Amino acid sequence: METILLRPHHGLCIRFFEGKGYSGEFIRHMAQLISGLKDSTEICITVGCDSVCGKCPNFNGIRCDSEERVLGFDRRVMEFTGISDKQRLTYQQLQRKIEDGIFAPNRFGQVCGDCAWGEICHKNSTKASY
């Protein structure tokens, strides 16, 4: 079974993805990644570029051009969910931690409030339950 590398905040991005993104290539890549996720898919948390980043135009081949900002998203997700860098868990476990640590206590705005894609996520956050 393949292990998916995932930044902590990308657990939220995947949850709200609706076919919009930085480019057609990025959208196709994200949709393909999501379509392969099952509850039992093994996820390895990484604070750095992951399986989503490869087709993002903000990825310069080494790191994200917005690295400082996205590290803030990652840190807040880790703080609220208790997950850590290099931790392995299933996709279902990750989503449960996001539900319990971010959505149930209404912390979503604290994590991603200043994200450029926030409008999409926030309008869908009322449907956020896993």
Side-chain angles (χ1 to χ4, degrees):
M1 178 188 292
E2 180 183 2
T3 299
I4 304 294
L5 288 175
L6 206 61
R7 292 190 85 121
H9 82 272
H10 281 160
L12 295 166
C13 300
I14 286 170
R15 192 175 190 142
F16 295 115
F17 181 73
E18 59 177 46
K20 297 177 182 170
Y22 299 103
S23 67
E25 184 179 30
F26 175 84
I27 292 167
R28 284 187 296 280
H29 174 70
M30 184 75 145
Q32 182 179 12
L33 180 96
I34 292 169
S35 72
L37 286 174
K38 309 285 184 256
D39 284 348
S40 61
T41 301
E42 184 178 64
I43 303 294
C44 180
I45 299 298
T46 184
V47 179
C49 292
D50 67 0
S51 298
V52 173
C53 298
K55 301 296 181 183
C56 179
N58 293 325
F59 177 59
N60 66 23
I62 298 170
R63 58 181 284 204
C64 178
D65 291 337
S66 302
E67 189 69 21
E68 294 308 313
R69 193 164 64 83
V70 296
L71 277 173
F73 300 148
D74 289 340
R75 285 186 196 112
R76 289 185 293 273
V77 169
M78 291 189 304
E79 175 187 343
F80 294 147
T81 63
I83 60 174
S84 58
D85 191 30
K86 308 296 183 234
Q87 182 176 348
R88 291 179 179 267
L89 64 168
T90 66
Y91 180 65
Q92 182 179 34
Q93 290 169 327
L94 173 62
Q95 288 301 321
R96 178 56 49 209
K97 286 181 177 289
I98 288 171
E99 181 66 33
D100 294 346
I102 296 172
F103 291 108
N106 199 24
R107 295 175 169 153
F108 184 55
Q110 293 174 43
V111 175
C112 301
D114 62 342
C115 174
W117 298 101
E119 182 180 319
I120 292 169
C121 299
H122 291 279
K123 83 172 182 191
N124 292 323
S125 66
T126 57
K127 314 182 248 188
S129 293
Y130 179 70

